[in-house]
Amino acid sequence: MATVNPLLVPSTLPYGLPDFSAIRDEHVMPALQEALRRHKAEIDTIAHDPTTPTAMNTVVALEQSGQDLSRVVGYFYTVAGADATDERLRIEGEISPLLAQHTDDMYMNADLFSRIDTVFHSLSESLGDLAPLAEKTQIPLADVEAETSALVRRYHELFLRHGAGLDAAAQARVREINAELSRLSSDFGDTLLKDTQASAVHITDEAELEGVEESQKAFFADTARAAGKDGWLIPLGLPTVQPILEQLARPDVRARIYDASLQRGGQKNETIAQRMALLRAEKAELFGYRTHAELVISDETARTPEAALQLLTDLAPAAVRNAERERAELLPVAQADGCTTLSAADWPYYAEKVRAAHYSLDSAELKPYFRLRNVVEQGVFRTAEILYGLRIT
């Protein structure tokens, strides 16, 4: 299979980038199934290694395994995220439960966790075979040992967080929950994307596009033609506040676009979200946590929901003050324009007018300075050189 499926052989392109021109959608599922088989075989070899567990033959070996699977998954989700066709959404629906099951199989592999647990509890003795790795990578042995110690601790924590320490009944239920959550998450994203595409606002009267730049109008016209419609079609992006609201002079059109953005997903995704919340709460309880928030955030910087809430509580008054100050600045401009109330749909439009009036700042005039090459070379790369001494060619 490796000779005919480009996803199952390492890329020869710079940085191992996928050869997108050679890979087609029909390569994905066969490559995934073979990559899963290979990774399972690698895990089985590590789990049943007859030699004494060490960091090198257990944790480092596990870290280096699954490269075929990483290649397939990395390619697919990159492409599907950028261009989610119906076929790719269908493939994602097949992939998600397979990956969820594979992840559970690895983290709940008792033999594998036993070896990791042995390494974790005898860490100093388990680091004795790292000299060849240090020599191969030309990294000082002390640095390799420190990095590997961190890796061992992290894997031990990950296995426990994924159910390695639970009894058989609890593990079985976690597997069921993970499988259902995987399916629900895929369904939620699929529904949201399709609804976002279907909610594009169709304009047939050019007067409704008052204030919109000509180049933007041309894009909307092209979008309409591609969809087999006349006039103009304004596609929605994933944020609730759509960028085009900054340009639309007609409040009724702004309201249509904003309302369409709010309605995406509808009752179906509301039902999915409720079911996911129940499953997450049950899973948290199985792991000994009071809430899903506790389970998730215990592995994050804040560590507790209370700490995260405190951050939000501390920020909220300043955010509200800023919003009120901005509203006081925008409202007279809106009222002078005949807009008696400043709704969420109106806010971006009048914020843009205030920027232009008070600061002589016109977003359209700024665009030529923010072409991609300028942003990357003179912005990102130049900043990296100033801050970190990195010169990128």
Side-chain angles (χ1 to χ4, degrees):
M1 183 178 290
T3 60
V4 297
N5 195 317
L7 283 172
L8 289 174
V9 291
S11 172
T12 58
L13 295 175
Y15 312 108
L17 290 171
D19 186 356
F20 291 101
S21 65
I23 303 170
R24 298 186 300 278
D25 288 345
E26 55 262 35
H27 288 132
V28 174
M29 282 308 298
L32 180 82
Q33 291 163 346
E34 174 63 13
L36 287 171
R37 186 195 67 77
R38 292 180 184 181
H39 194 210
K40 288 175 183 176
E42 290 174 313
I43 291 170
D44 188 62
T45 298
I46 297 167
H48 298 101
D49 187 338
T51 63
T52 301
T54 67
M56 191 68 190
N57 68 21
T58 302
V59 176
V60 174
L62 184 59
E63 172 74 1
Q64 294 177 339
S65 70
Q67 293 187 28
D68 295 305
L69 183 59
S70 296
R71 187 185 312 113
V72 176
V73 171
Y75 162 81
F76 176 73
Y77 281 104
T78 297
V79 171
D83 185 17
T85 63
D86 288 342
E87 174 63 10
R88 287 170 184 158
L89 290 172
R90 185 194 65 76
I91 293 172
E92 184 178 2
E94 292 186 28
I95 285 179
S96 294
L98 293 175
L99 289 178
Q101 180 182 342
H102 179 72
T103 300
D104 285 340
D105 287 345
M106 183 181 78
Y107 283 116
M108 296 183 197
N109 185 315
D111 294 326
L112 181 59
F113 179 64
S114 176
R115 291 182 66 85
I116 292 173
D117 196 48
T118 298
V119 173
F120 175 77
H121 285 103
S122 57
L123 192 52
S124 57
E125 296 89 344
S126 299
L127 299 175
D129 59 349
L130 293 175
L133 180 60
E135 183 178 351
K136 178 182 178 181
T137 58
Q138 296 184 328
I139 298 174
L141 180 59
D143 291 347
V144 173
E145 289 177 341
E147 185 173 318
T148 306
S149 295
L151 189 68
V152 169
R153 289 191 291 271
R154 182 59 180 158
Y155 263 106
H156 191 264
E157 183 179 18
L158 283 173
F159 269 73
L160 290 175
R161 290 184 63 83
H162 283 80
L166 300 177
D167 61 37
Q171 283 188 350
R173 181 56 187 149
V174 168
R175 284 175 177 273
E176 292 173 352
I177 291 172
N178 286 345
E180 187 173 356
L181 282 173
S182 173
R183 179 181 59 78
L184 290 171
S185 179
S186 181
D187 288 349
F188 188 99
D190 189 3
T191 300
L192 177 60
L193 181 61
K194 288 180 177 178
D195 227 22
T196 298
Q197 294 169 342
S199 299
V201 176
H202 187 207
I203 302 291
T204 55
D205 181 359
E206 188 172 4
E208 293 185 334
L209 295 177
E210 179 187 350
V212 176
E213 300 166 12
E214 290 303 319
S215 62
Q216 194 77 62
K217 284 185 186 179
F219 169 71
F220 294 152
D222 289 342
T223 304
R225 279 192 293 273
K229 298 176 181 291
D230 57 356
W232 301 263
L233 191 64
I234 302 177
L236 300 181
L238 285 181
T240 301
V241 179
Q242 305 297 307
I244 192 59
L245 294 178
E246 294 181 358
Q247 298 181 34
L248 288 162
R250 292 270 297 264
D252 57 327
V253 182
R254 293 197 297 265
R256 280 176 61 193
I257 292 171
Y258 188 77
D259 290 344
S261 181
L262 288 180
Q263 300 304 318
R264 290 170 298 170
Q267 182 60 49
K268 181 177 180 180
N269 268 3
E270 184 177 331
T271 302
I272 290 174
Q274 290 171 352
R275 178 59 181 164
M276 290 177 74
L278 289 172
L279 290 170
R280 287 170 169 176
E282 182 185 353
K283 181 177 175 180
E285 189 175 349
L286 288 169
F287 279 91
Y289 292 89
R290 292 178 301 168
T291 65
H292 173 68
E294 278 193 358
L295 171 62
V296 172
I297 212 166
S298 64
D299 196 40
E300 305 292 343
T301 304
R303 293 297 179 188
T304 67
E306 291 75 18
L309 183 60
Q310 186 62 53
L311 174 65
L312 295 175
T313 303
D314 292 344
L315 287 174
V320 170
R321 284 194 300 272
N322 283 343
E324 288 175 342
R325 184 166 57 249
E326 186 175 344
R327 184 178 185 277
E329 196 173 10
L330 301 183
L331 191 56
V333 180
Q335 289 173 334
D337 207 20
C339 182
T340 55
T341 60
L342 188 65
S343 71
D346 300 320
W347 195 294
Y349 177 73
Y350 290 106
E352 182 67 15
K353 292 193 75 168
V354 167
R355 278 193 291 269
H358 291 197
Y359 310 109
S360 299
L361 183 61
D362 185 340
S363 298
E365 291 184 7
L366 286 175
K367 286 182 178 179
Y369 299 96
F370 287 92
R371 291 192 173 95
L372 181 60
R373 183 172 292 278
N374 288 351
V375 171
V376 173
E377 293 185 352
Q378 301 304 319
V380 179
F381 291 173
R382 177 61 179 149
T383 302
E385 184 175 1
I386 293 170
L387 293 179
Y388 308 117
L390 301 175
R391 191 169 69 85
I392 302 169
T393 302

